[in-house]
Protein backbone atom coordinates (compact mmCIF):
# COMPACT_ATOMS: atom_id res chain seq x y z
CA UNK A 1 0.00 0.00 0.00
CA UNK A 2 1.36 3.37 -1.00
CA UNK A 3 -0.53 5.72 1.35
CA UNK A 4 -3.07 5.72 4.11
CA UNK A 5 -2.13 2.40 5.63
CA UNK A 6 -5.63 1.85 7.03
CA UNK A 7 -6.59 -1.79 6.97
CA UNK A 8 -8.86 -2.89 4.16
CA UNK A 9 -10.16 -6.33 3.41
CA UNK A 10 -12.25 -8.22 0.93
CA UNK A 11 -12.91 -6.69 -2.44
CA UNK A 12 -11.11 -3.42 -1.71
CA UNK A 13 -7.98 -5.30 -0.65
CA UNK A 14 -8.19 -7.39 -3.83
CA UNK A 15 -8.48 -4.27 -6.01
CA UNK A 16 -5.52 -2.62 -4.25
CA UNK A 17 -3.44 -5.78 -4.68
CA UNK A 18 -4.37 -6.04 -8.37
CA UNK A 19 -3.47 -2.40 -9.01
CA UNK A 20 -0.18 -2.62 -7.13
CA UNK A 21 0.88 -5.83 -8.84
CA UNK A 22 0.23 -4.40 -12.30
CA UNK A 23 1.94 -1.10 -11.43
CA UNK A 24 5.00 -2.95 -10.15
CA UNK A 25 5.34 -4.82 -13.45
CA UNK A 26 5.24 -1.50 -15.30
CA UNK A 27 7.67 0.23 -12.91
CA UNK A 28 10.06 -2.72 -13.21
CA UNK A 29 10.47 -2.07 -16.93
CA UNK A 30 12.03 1.32 -16.10
CA UNK A 31 14.40 0.05 -13.43
CA UNK A 32 17.95 1.19 -14.11
CA UNK A 33 17.15 3.05 -17.33
CA UNK A 34 18.70 6.41 -18.14
CA UNK A 35 16.47 9.23 -19.32
CA UNK A 36 17.74 8.61 -22.84
CA UNK A 37 16.91 4.89 -22.68
CA UNK A 38 13.48 5.64 -21.19
CA UNK A 39 12.82 7.80 -24.26
CA UNK A 40 14.19 5.26 -26.75
CA UNK A 41 11.93 3.98 -29.51
CA UNK A 42 13.36 0.48 -29.79
CA UNK A 43 10.61 -1.07 -31.92
CA UNK A 44 8.59 0.00 -34.96
CA UNK A 45 6.16 1.66 -32.55
CA UNK A 46 6.56 5.25 -31.35
CA UNK A 47 6.07 4.02 -27.78
CA UNK A 48 8.81 4.30 -25.16
CA UNK A 49 9.08 2.96 -21.61
CA UNK A 50 8.96 6.45 -20.10
CA UNK A 51 6.13 7.52 -22.38
CA UNK A 52 4.05 4.49 -21.45
CA UNK A 53 4.47 5.17 -17.74
CA UNK A 54 3.49 8.80 -18.32
CA UNK A 55 0.44 7.71 -20.34
CA UNK A 56 -0.71 5.16 -17.76
CA UNK A 57 -0.36 7.79 -15.04
CA UNK A 58 -2.53 10.22 -17.03
CA UNK A 59 -5.12 7.54 -17.75
CA UNK A 60 -5.23 6.50 -14.09
CA UNK A 61 -5.72 10.11 -13.02
CA UNK A 62 -8.62 10.54 -15.47
CA UNK A 63 -10.32 7.34 -14.30
CA UNK A 64 -9.87 8.52 -10.70
CA UNK A 65 -11.76 11.68 -11.65
CA UNK A 66 -14.44 9.53 -13.28
CA UNK A 67 -14.73 7.44 -10.11
CA UNK A 68 -15.45 10.66 -8.21
CA UNK A 69 -18.13 11.69 -10.70
CA UNK A 70 -15.95 14.47 -12.15
CA UNK A 71 -15.54 13.18 -15.72
CA UNK A 72 -16.70 15.38 -18.57
CA UNK A 73 -19.41 13.87 -20.72
CA UNK A 74 -19.23 16.48 -23.49
CA UNK A 75 -17.48 15.36 -26.68
CA UNK A 76 -13.87 16.46 -27.07
CA UNK A 77 -13.06 18.61 -30.08
CA UNK A 78 -9.83 17.27 -31.58
CA UNK A 79 -8.06 20.57 -32.28
CA UNK A 80 -4.33 20.58 -33.13
CA UNK A 81 -3.55 21.59 -29.52
CA UNK A 82 -5.64 18.73 -28.11
CA UNK A 83 -3.94 16.26 -30.46
CA UNK A 84 -0.47 17.59 -29.54
CA UNK A 85 -1.27 17.32 -25.84
CA UNK A 86 -2.50 13.75 -26.36
CA UNK A 87 0.73 12.84 -28.18
CA UNK A 88 2.86 14.42 -25.44
CA UNK A 89 1.37 12.12 -22.82
CA UNK A 90 3.12 9.24 -24.63
CA UNK A 91 6.62 10.68 -24.39
CA UNK A 92 8.98 12.36 -22.00
CA UNK A 93 9.10 15.95 -23.22
CA UNK A 94 11.71 18.69 -22.86
CA UNK A 95 12.33 19.40 -19.19
CA UNK A 96 10.96 16.07 -17.91
CA UNK A 97 12.98 13.14 -16.62
CA UNK A 98 12.16 9.51 -15.97
CA UNK A 99 12.40 10.30 -12.25
CA UNK A 100 9.76 13.03 -12.71
CA UNK A 101 7.46 10.65 -14.56
CA UNK A 102 7.84 7.94 -11.91
CA UNK A 103 7.22 10.43 -9.09
CA UNK A 104 4.06 11.67 -10.79
CA UNK A 105 2.94 8.05 -11.26
CA UNK A 106 3.50 7.32 -7.57
CA UNK A 107 1.44 10.38 -6.63
CA UNK A 108 -1.46 9.33 -8.86
CA UNK A 109 -1.24 5.76 -7.53
CA UNK A 110 -1.49 7.01 -3.93
CA UNK A 111 -4.53 9.12 -4.83
CA UNK A 112 -6.20 6.16 -6.53
CA UNK A 113 -5.52 3.91 -3.54
CA UNK A 114 -7.24 6.44 -1.28
CA UNK A 115 -10.23 6.39 -3.64
CA UNK A 116 -10.36 2.58 -3.61
CA UNK A 117 -10.48 2.70 0.20
CA UNK A 118 -13.22 5.32 0.43
CA UNK A 119 -15.53 5.51 -2.60
CA UNK A 120 -18.78 3.60 -3.07
CA UNK A 121 -17.74 0.87 -5.52
CA UNK A 122 -21.36 0.49 -6.69
CA UNK A 123 -21.81 4.15 -7.69
CA UNK A 124 -22.37 4.48 -11.45
CA UNK A 125 -21.46 7.24 -13.86
CA UNK A 126 -21.90 7.67 -17.57
CA UNK A 127 -18.75 7.04 -19.56
CA UNK A 128 -17.24 10.14 -21.15
CA UNK A 129 -18.22 10.83 -24.74
CA UNK A 130 -15.74 9.41 -27.23
CA UNK A 131 -15.78 8.37 -30.89
CA UNK A 132 -15.52 4.71 -29.83
CA UNK A 133 -18.14 4.95 -27.07
CA UNK A 134 -21.88 5.25 -27.69
CA UNK A 135 -23.72 7.56 -25.29
CA UNK A 136 -25.66 6.16 -22.37
CA UNK A 137 -23.13 3.58 -21.15
CA UNK A 138 -22.57 3.59 -17.39
CA UNK A 139 -19.77 2.01 -15.37
CA UNK A 140 -19.49 1.45 -11.68
CA UNK A 141 -16.59 2.89 -9.73
CA UNK A 142 -15.45 -0.72 -9.30
CA UNK A 143 -15.26 -1.15 -13.08
CA UNK A 144 -13.20 2.02 -13.40
CA UNK A 145 -10.62 0.62 -10.96
CA UNK A 146 -10.57 -2.72 -12.76
CA UNK A 147 -10.10 -0.87 -16.05
CA UNK A 148 -7.08 0.96 -14.60
CA UNK A 149 -5.56 -2.43 -13.73
CA UNK A 150 -6.33 -3.76 -17.21
CA UNK A 151 -4.86 -0.71 -18.96
CA UNK A 152 -1.77 -0.87 -16.76
CA UNK A 153 -1.26 -4.58 -17.49
CA UNK A 154 -1.62 -4.05 -21.23
CA UNK A 155 0.90 -1.24 -21.30
CA UNK A 156 3.28 -3.09 -18.96
CA UNK A 157 3.46 -5.75 -21.67
CA UNK A 158 4.23 -3.12 -24.29
CA UNK A 159 6.91 -1.61 -22.05
CA UNK A 160 8.41 -5.04 -21.39
CA UNK A 161 8.88 -5.64 -25.13
CA UNK A 162 10.44 -2.20 -25.57
CA UNK A 163 12.77 -2.75 -22.61
CA UNK A 164 13.82 -6.20 -23.79
CA UNK A 165 14.71 -4.68 -27.16
CA UNK A 166 16.83 -1.97 -25.46
CA UNK A 167 19.00 -4.17 -23.25
CA UNK A 168 17.54 -7.65 -22.92
CA UNK A 169 15.91 -7.14 -19.50
CA UNK A 170 12.54 -8.85 -19.08
CA UNK A 171 10.01 -8.32 -16.33
CA UNK A 172 9.34 -12.04 -16.08
CA UNK A 173 11.36 -14.91 -17.39
Amino acid sequence: MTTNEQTVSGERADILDLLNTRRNFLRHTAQGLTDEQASTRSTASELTVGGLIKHVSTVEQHWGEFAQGKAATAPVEFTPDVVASWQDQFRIVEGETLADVLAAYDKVAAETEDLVRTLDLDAKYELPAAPWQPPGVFWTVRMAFLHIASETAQHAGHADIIRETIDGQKTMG
Side-chain angles (χ1 to χ4, degrees):
M1 294 180 205
T2 305
T3 63
N4 190 354
E5 295 292 332
Q6 97 187 37
T7 302
V8 295
S9 61
E11 180 178 26
R12 291 178 193 277
D14 290 345
I15 291 170
L16 290 170
D17 183 59
L18 179 66
L19 288 168
N20 281 317
T21 300
R22 299 308 171 256
R23 288 186 196 118
N24 286 335
F25 283 135
L26 181 58
R27 281 187 194 104
H28 183 77
T29 63
Q31 199 170 49
L33 287 179
T34 65
D35 290 338
E36 182 180 349
Q37 289 171 315
S39 297
T40 297
R41 291 177 49 201
S42 63
T43 66
S45 169
E46 291 189 27
L47 298 175
T48 67
V49 171
L52 283 167
I53 293 169
K54 185 176 174 183
H55 168 69
V56 168
S57 181
T58 300
V59 167
E60 183 166 330
Q61 181 179 13
H62 288 189
W63 282 109
E65 292 167 3
F66 171 86
Q68 297 173 78
K70 298 178 183 177
T73 54
V76 174
E77 185 178 336
F78 290 99
T79 64
D81 288 344
V82 169
V83 171
S85 177
W86 175 260
Q87 291 170 332
D88 282 349
Q89 75 167 291
F90 285 94
R91 58 181 160 241
I92 296 176
V93 296
E94 181 83 25
E96 288 180 325
T97 65
L98 177 59
D100 296 335
V101 169
L102 289 167
Y105 188 39
D106 288 343
K107 181 178 183 282
V108 169
E111 292 167 358
T112 300
E113 289 177 8
D114 286 340
L115 296 176
V116 170
R117 288 183 185 88
T118 60
L119 293 180
D120 176 2
L121 299 177
D122 292 320
K124 288 185 179 182
Y125 302 104
E126 186 173 5
L127 289 177
W132 54 87
Q133 181 62 56
V137 176
F138 287 75
W139 273 10
T140 63
V141 169
R142 173 186 300 100
M143 187 62 194
F145 293 139
L146 295 175
H147 182 72
I148 292 168
S150 175
E151 177 100 1
T152 303
Q154 179 178 3
H155 289 312
H158 296 144
D160 201 38
I161 290 167
I162 294 165
R163 176 64 189 258
E164 185 176 4
T165 306
I166 291 171
D167 66 3
Q169 178 179 300
K170 297 182 252 182
T171 299
M172 298 184 73

